[in-house]
Amino acid sequence: MSLLSERVANLPDADEASRRDARTRADNVLRPVGALHWLDDVAVWTAGWQRSSAPSVERPTALVFAADHGVTAAGVSSYPSEVTAAMLDATRQHKATINAFAAAVGATVRAVDVGVGRPTADMRHGPALTPERFDEVTATAFAAVDELETDLLVLGELGIGNTTAAAAVAAAFAGGEATVWVGRGTGVDDAGLERKRSAVQSAVRRIAGVVEPFEILREVGGAELVGMAAAAIAARHRSIPVVLDGYICTASMLALHAADPSALDHCVVGHCSAEPGHRRLLERLGKRPLLDLDMRLGEGSGAMAAVPLVSMACAGVVNVATFDEWFGPGN
């Protein structure tokens, strides 16, 4: 049993008293009931996972997991693997898009190296990760979350080739023709798209018969996908609500959902990316994205763009007077 599968057992639930108090207040603030229906739902969701009847977003933090992929040998990306290291360096020097977005909303960013310069095996020919490395990445992600002081966690990734891994994970869990899960990622041409499709088909055929969720993730995922999944579970155990990023991040959560359909109850999806498979995955998971702007950058940028919505949702419940507070009880 992997470290991740062990932690998925006995997941804590949201605090119902906090949810109930937030819902009662949302239904009684100075506006028509249901006028901000979905935003009120977000505030109530936040209250339950923060275990507070007065939810707020004061210390949002992004964890960005970075890793390389052996499948890039198949020519599945427009960029060489070395770009992952360059983007990791830019993120750590506060020069990447995620840093600019985070600064704009008062968030912090931590980049976690789980495999830059240490690519996974080529998933076409064998398991992407050994059991030992799967647990190593899981432990790194657990430790990263345990070190945080945050009230809202954004998850993101960096990794040339990881849309191919995400497509393979999606195809393995969601089924259907593997090619429907493959998009252009970094903008590959038609020939590159065919190479991606072929790589995904080969990987999924190779693991036919594998049913254990975390084994599927280990076989055709990537280190940063494992890191995001593990971070989501670590956040659950600390009652930290999570905002998921795009296609790759959502694909990384499929193993959790397969292991326990309630495992993602503490997660919202920040945005729906331009990758064609993302919308299909959201429908499968029953998740509605907060934003739909055709973004496809990664880095946690789309999820970070949604942080102000979560913050405003909470403020719209907590900081608005109720009818009783404004007009007096009974008026």
Side-chain angles (χ1 to χ4, degrees), residues 72-280:
T72 56
V76 297
S77 176
S78 299
Y79 296 93
S81 293
E82 290 76 14
V83 170
T84 305
M87 288 308 302
L88 174 61
D89 189 42
T91 302
R92 286 178 166 172
Q93 293 191 42
H94 310 288
K95 298 297 183 181
T97 301
I98 183 61
N99 304 109
F101 280 18
V105 301
T108 58
V109 178
R110 179 181 173 189
V112 184
D113 182 352
V114 288
V116 177
R118 190 182 168 200
T120 56
D122 189 335
M123 65 179 182
R124 295 175 298 168
H125 310 304
L129 295 161
T130 64
E132 293 76 16
R133 189 163 176 208
F134 189 97
D135 279 351
E136 174 193 320
V137 172
T138 299
T140 298
F142 286 169
V145 173
D146 287 346
E147 292 169 1
L148 297 179
E149 291 297 331
T150 185
D151 49 26
L152 186 69
L153 178 62
V154 166
L155 293 179
E157 42 63 37
L158 296 166
I160 296 299
N162 61 13
T163 55
T164 305
V169 171
F173 279 104
E177 177 56 45
T179 57
V180 304
W181 300 105
V182 182
R184 293 187 183 271
T186 53
V188 293
D189 58 18
D190 289 346
L193 185 61
E194 285 304 312
R195 290 192 293 269
K196 286 184 71 172
R197 288 171 173 167
S198 177
V200 170
Q201 287 174 327
S202 296
V204 173
R205 287 170 183 162
R206 182 183 60 77
I207 65 166
V210 177
V211 296
E212 203 282 325
F214 300 108
E215 280 297 287
I216 293 173
L217 183 60
R218 182 178 73 82
E219 288 276 354
V220 297
E224 77 274 45
L225 276 74
V226 175
M228 289 186 288
I233 291 303
R236 175 68 167 263
H237 281 278
R238 290 192 58 197
S239 289
I240 301 170
V242 173
V243 185
L244 305 177
D245 199 39
Y247 184 40
I248 298 149
C249 185
T250 302
S252 74
M253 301 296 145
L254 290 173
L256 303 179
H257 183 263
D260 181 348
S262 71
L264 302 181
D265 286 356
H266 68 303
C267 301
V268 292
V269 177
H271 78 118
C272 183
S273 82
E275 281 291 295
H278 194 205
R279 198 173 301 278
R280 294 186 182 95

Side-chain angles (χ1 to χ4, degrees), residues 25-36 40 313 315-317 320-321 323:
R25 185 174 184 87
D27 289 345
N28 287 279
V29 294
L30 290 170
R31 56 177 176 262
V33 175
L36 297 182
D40 286 347
V317 170
V320 177
F323 282 91

